[in-house]
Amino acid sequence: MLYALISEDVPDSRKLRQAARSAHLIRLAQLQDEGRLVLAGPMLATDAAEPGPAGCTGSLIVAEFPSLTEAEAWLAAEPFVTEGVFARTRVLPFLQTFPQ
């Protein structure tokens, strides 16, 4: 089943994000290599393709997991969680209707 992993950054998260980014991307690449990643990316603090100094306000990952418990466990081990980038996280079951 698909799950939406929704995260909100701590204030001024830019340096924390930069420090944990490599490990974060490795985990996302693993999901992609397994064919389980639908999409992933940051939510920007500004209405621009590059956030610049404004940085990010959070992240969204949509991926396939065997269960809600496993999706929550994956997110709990996420470097952006363990390194303090995220202030809050949620995992919600997700039904992709488009594109088909």
Side-chain angles (χ1 to χ4, degrees):
M1 177 160 194
L2 294 178
Y3 295 90
L5 288 64
I6 305 164
S7 305
E8 184 179 328
D9 283 19
V10 298
D12 302 317
S13 64
R14 188 174 176 153
K15 287 183 183 178
L16 291 170
R17 273 182 169 268
Q18 289 173 343
R21 189 168 192 269
S22 293
H24 166 73
L25 294 178
I26 288 168
R27 293 188 86 232
L28 290 176
Q30 289 171 339
L31 282 179
Q32 184 176 20
D33 291 347
E34 294 167 2
R36 297 173 27 195
L37 183 64
V38 175
L39 63 88
M43 293 179 279
L44 308 178
T46 61
D47 188 14
E50 288 293 325
C56 301
T57 61
S59 294
L60 171 65
I61 299 168
V62 176
E64 184 177 345
F65 292 92
S67 68
L68 176 62
T69 301
E70 290 187 49
E72 290 171 334
W74 187 93
L75 184 56
E78 165 55 40
F80 280 1
V81 171
T82 62
E83 298 303 315
V85 175
F86 295 150
R88 283 177 284 290
T89 62
R90 293 177 67 189
V91 179
L92 301 170
F94 182 81
L95 179 63
Q96 181 178 354
T97 55
F98 286 97
Q100 296 179 342

